[in-house]
Amino acid sequence: VLLGRKEGAPPPPCALALCSPWLDLRCGGSTGCSSYMINDAHDPMLRGASLKKMAQAYAGPKSLADMPRVLQIAQESKASFPPTLIHVGGNEVVHDDALQLAQVLSKNGSKVELKEYDRVIHGWHSFYPVMQQAGAALDHIVEYFGERLGVPPPPAPAGLAEPEPAH
């Protein structure tokens, strides 16, 4: 959406938060040694084979080889994005996509903050309060937007504060 903005369009958002962005519809293409292959056994929520099926459904009759990669479009457009926060798990199949996007946006002059989380599954943000990392990631997103909007962070909701250590 940001790359296809036309003159006279509404202003872009003040910031973006991208959680585990999937950008390469070819799922690693012919690169061979990519996070799509290396992390496939470690990411139970998002598998390379299912992503390829989703990509082919999106592409329809077109060949995936003919689908432009979001990263290539961003590189070629030299578009400046709003400040962007990217979260990704170290063992997600989309790990490489997130790292490459951070590099492209930074090279294009955008402010980028990349945060990698260890031992999380794809979509871990939605597992709050079951996964401790989910709460930390959501807090990070709230702080990120709060800083850009000039809004102080909200107080922790009652009952969700860290428990007192046992004596």
Side-chain angles (χ1 to χ4, degrees), residues 57-82:
Y58 174 78
K62 293 181 183 176
S63 165
L64 285 176
D66 297 333
M67 296 294 291
R69 294 181 64 217
V70 173
L71 290 169
Q72 287 172 324
I73 295 168
Q75 282 175 324
E76 292 165 7
S77 75
K78 305 257 189 270
S80 179
F81 273 53

Side-chain angles (χ1 to χ4, degrees), residues 105-156:
L105 295 181
S106 181
K107 187 176 177 183
N108 287 355
S110 299
K111 292 181 183 177
V112 180
E113 183 178 333
L114 174 68
K115 175 81 171 150
E116 295 180 67
Y117 289 80
D118 291 326
R119 295 184 297 274
V120 295
I121 58 176
H122 180 78
W124 81 94
H125 296 78
S126 62
F127 287 92
Y128 174 80
V130 177
M131 290 180 69
Q132 183 178 6
Q133 300 98 318
L138 293 172
D139 286 346
H140 186 221
I141 292 170
V142 168
E143 290 170 15
Y144 186 81
F145 278 104
E147 289 170 4
R148 272 123 202 100
L149 295 169
V151 177

Side-chain angles (χ1 to χ4, degrees), residues 39-48 50 91-93 119-124 127 131:
N39 290 342
D40 194 57
H42 307 291
D43 189 348
M45 298 298 288
L46 203 56
R47 304 300 274 239
S50 59
N91 53 347
E92 287 193 82
V93 294
R119 295 184 297 274
V120 295
I121 58 176
H122 180 78
W124 81 94
F127 287 92
M131 290 180 69

